Amino acid sequence: MSAHHEQSFISKYVFSIDHKYIAKQYTVTGMIFAFIGGLFAVAFRTQLAWPGTNIPFIGVLDGMKYNMLVTNHAMIMFFWAGMPILLAGLGNFVIPLMLGADDMAFPKLNMLSYWIFFVSAVLLILSFMAPGGGAAGGWTMYPPLNAQQGVDPDANFLVNLWTGGSLLILAVAVEFASMLLGGINFLVTSLNMRAKGMKLMDVPAVVWMINLATVDFMFSVGPLISGAVMLLFDRIFNTGFYDPARGGDPILFQHLFWFFGHPEVYVVLLPAIGIVAEIVPTFSRKPLFASRWIIIMATASAFIAFIVWAHHQFVAGIDPRMAEFFSITTIIISVPFAFIFFAVIATMFKGQIEVKTPMLWALGFLVFFLVGGVTGIFNGSAGLDMYIHDTYFVIAHFHYTLIPAVFFAGLAALHFWFPKATGRMMNETLGKLHFWITSIGFNMFAFPLFFSGLYGEHRRIFNYSSYQPMMADWIINIRHVATIGAMILAAAQVLLFINIILSATSGEKAGKNPWKCNTLEWVADSPPPHGNFATPPSCYRGPYEYSNPKRSGSDFWPQNEQ
Amino acid sequence: MSDVTIERVPKGRLGVWLLIAGEIVIFGGFIASYILARLEYPEFGSKEAAGDLNIVVGTVNTLILLISNWTMVKAHEAALEKNVAKAKSFMIYTLVLGLLFLGIKLGYEWPTDFSHGHTISSSKAIADQAPGSEVMKVSLFWSYYFLMTGFHGLHIVVGSLVIFFVMLGISGGQNLHRVELAGAYWHLVELVWVILFPMLYLIQ
């Protein structure tokens, strides 16, 4: 590959092997799915607040349709929004640029990863068109329900394959294969293609975190791929891997699922922390506090992430001694994250803080994620979890972890790297307005659910009208407030859409380094050409040398300048 | 390939090792599930389950796969000496042995198992009458057996295709490093079989 050869329309915009364009493909696909997933949530929240409402395009929700929307909301937000945006999109964009490389290690494999991902998205959409509609067995796909729902044991295996449940399992498995191939690319690129002189500790925190997330993903997803194949076989070949009557064990699937499912949370969280660790020093003009220890702690948490999974199964009938072990590991894993949080906050101490939009989103992440992190300790304690499991307390908890991670940190990254990707600045006023409306909507929707959850409101119920204790006035009010919050949250995204279109077409020109940042991507042109750098940069120091007294004349010291 | 970056460990080798690591975890899921079921059910070793597998044929197949790995190592050796003709002929031996393994598995072993009434499916009707009976546990063994040998067979097919296309690609003496990569993947396929064989056939 020469650095600047001409590309045809197809090879530039469709089957592109340029990591920056693939990053945009992932991000745009992810954002479209995030919007669809969000609308699903608004639809079923409307049903919860005002049961029997006729919802535009969907109609009145019955139990089945409600379950279908909830199941696919979770699936879409995790696997077709969170992972493509935070891992694949962000990783593809920043890894080669921050390492000073011209592209990924395997550009064609990178293109293949995206198109396999695209196939998985098509399978997901097909699953809605199957007879009986989309999958409705909950996003965790627990058997025996999911091994049987919509399945006719006497029918041909193709008939059983052409059901929402089977197609969704297939879509998820294909998506994992795509992310596995992408992950190989990330790790090889980061180990192999760093700029001259760049030691591992000179690699920016966000690249570290994306790679740790990749390791977590690659070494935890295997059991779920095999578990999903077994579940699919239970559906289409009439096996009994998870059927107790046939010697199988439904708890086995829970272990295989959560062995992946919990590290998956860190797959989404670690890149988010990495983003914040890049943005906070830049906008505080101070070195990242204890940056070496942040990376050590994140590495520790990436390993502990493999031994916390059964805290999702405290009520599944696991041995109490095992529950105690997983309670302890779950509480231990909060230690490295607490350390990282304190270090990021310490970075701001006595800094010259400038609250531009990316910084605002990063601060939003810190504040709101804290609520999710602290309530995680509640859920991790086996005794308390017995009570709050499967209530809206858990829903509120994981929305306070995932929305800050995927949306707040993800939007921080979007506003931060948008000038690099398009060459134009995003509109600050629109960005700040979008931040505040999103924050209000999000907190209105998620915070009240802690209270209804503690009161005992159970999730996975589509109409509370026949449960008298759940029909007290205050709890109905909470449902209304939460639903209006979700609507505000969804509507606020129109501002983002307007901002992206306006800024991409007529935003202020950004120049090479609008944020006066040290890392190597700001050495390249904005947007970087095919091949990224005119001359390959060398690296002389770590990425966080802000306000260094040895440097006269400016408060930053790019990694490539001697 | 690129003048912009510096090479450390050859990236192809690193990539294949990571792929192998990912594959090991996938097989790990099947193997761990099987071991858990095996520990719970001694019936898996009974005459109708593992006892009904032909150990002699299984051993022959294991030997075939072991020899195919040796020929693959010889192909790698030849590639290091830049001897294209020798590398290609050893890769052809590997392919023939791989296909022989697959032929015995799909052409003899599976049909024999089918003729003894074993299939991957288990009967819902019997499960309803006698839940958790010995018949059901034996049929669970056969589900695992067909699942794991089938998945392994799929890897033989993929590994053979990889070797075949690498063989076509080295004709002009270029891309010889790919022989090592195809070989590494082929060793994974062998390694998995060396675990599956005692687990399914020998422990009775």
Side-chain angles (χ1 to χ4, degrees), chain A residues 9 25 69 88 93 110 114 147 181 229 262 270 298 304 319 338 341 351 367 383 503 511 518 533 551:
Chain A
F9 178 81
Q25 289 175 321
L69 290 178
F93 189 73
N110 205 12
Y114 175 77
L181 295 178
V229 168
H262 202 82
L270 284 169
I304 304 172
D319 190 314
F341 261 67
V367 172
S503 307
N518 287 341
F533 299 96
R551 167 94 164 171

Side-chain angles (χ1 to χ4, degrees), chain A residues 70-139:
Chain A
V70 173
T71 303
N72 286 289
H73 165 71
M75 279 287 183
I76 287 172
M77 286 306 200
F78 241 131
F79 300 130
W80 282 277
M83 299 237 322
I85 292 174
L86 274 190
L87 199 62
L90 179 72
N92 264 311
F93 189 73
V94 300
I95 288 178
L97 281 169
M98 282 185 144
L99 299 176
D102 61 340
D103 205 318
M104 282 286 180
F106 308 108
K108 282 180 191 155
L109 184 71
N110 205 12
M111 174 194 83
L112 187 69
S113 306
Y114 175 77
W115 286 101
I116 294 176
F117 170 74
F118 190 81
V119 169
S120 81
V122 171
L123 281 170
L124 171 76
I125 293 165
L126 278 181
S127 81
F128 292 103
M129 298 170 185
W139 84 279

Side-chain angles (χ1 to χ4, degrees), chain A residues 269-407:
Chain A
L269 174 61
L270 284 169
I273 288 180
I275 292 163
V276 172
E278 292 304 319
I279 289 174
V280 168
T282 307
F283 290 93
S284 307
R285 313 313 292 169
K286 269 191 69 197
L288 182 61
F289 185 81
S291 59
R292 175 180 286 260
W293 277 96
I294 286 185
I295 287 164
I296 293 170
M297 285 294 175
T299 311
S301 70
F303 282 101
I304 304 172
F306 284 101
I307 49 165
V308 299
W309 80 88
H311 65 215
H312 294 272
Q313 297 161 249
F314 288 149
V315 296
I318 63 171
D319 190 314
R321 286 163 296 185
M322 200 161 125
E324 191 171 338
F325 171 80
F326 283 103
S327 272
I328 292 168
T329 54
T330 304
I331 291 165
I332 284 176
I333 203 171
S334 60
V335 174
F337 287 113
F339 177 92
I340 295 172
F341 261 67
F342 282 125
V344 172
I345 292 167
T347 304
M348 288 184 276
F349 184 63
K350 287 191 179 171
Q352 291 168 288
I353 299 173
E354 194 184 4
V355 188
K356 290 274 178 69
T357 334
M359 182 66 167
L360 200 57
W361 286 106
L363 292 174
F365 168 83
L366 287 174
V367 172
F368 300 136
F369 184 82
L370 200 61
V371 179
V374 169
T375 50
I377 313 243
F378 291 47
N379 294 321
S381 319
L384 185 54
D385 185 67
M386 297 282 175
Y387 178 69
I388 52 183
H389 188 90
D390 259 352
T391 66
Y392 272 86
F393 187 89
V394 175
I395 307 247
H397 155 71
F398 67 68
H399 281 91
Y400 263 104
T401 59
L402 292 170
I403 291 184
V406 177
F407 293 103

Side-chain angles (χ1 to χ4, degrees), chain B residues 93-173:
Chain B
Y93 300 151
T94 311
L95 280 179
V96 169
L97 289 167
L99 292 179
L100 187 62
F101 174 93
L102 211 58
I104 292 176
K105 185 99 245 162
L106 300 182
Y108 177 74
E109 284 200 80
W110 276 19
T112 315
D113 301 330
F114 292 145
S115 72
H116 293 192
H118 309 305
T119 57
I120 189 166
S121 311
S122 59
S123 164
K124 188 112 182 79
I126 300 176
D128 288 344
Q129 284 162 21
S133 62
E134 194 177 331
V135 184
M136 295 326 302
K137 288 168 189 167
V138 166
S139 85
L140 184 65
F141 170 84
W142 288 104
S143 298
Y144 272 114
Y145 169 81
F146 286 113
L147 172 76
M148 294 202 284
T149 54
F151 205 64
H152 178 259
L154 197 65
H155 280 73
I156 297 262
V157 173
V158 173
S160 306
L161 285 174
V162 170
I163 292 174
F164 180 70
F165 283 112
V166 167
M167 198 175 75
L168 293 186
I170 61 171
S171 296

Side-chain angles (χ1 to χ4, degrees), chain A residues 182-200:
Chain A
I184 291 172
N185 230 334
F186 286 4
L187 291 176
V188 175
T189 308
S190 307
L191 287 171
N192 232 4
M193 298 183 59
R194 300 193 301 278
K196 202 175 162 204
M198 186 181 269
K199 296 189 285 292
L200 277 177

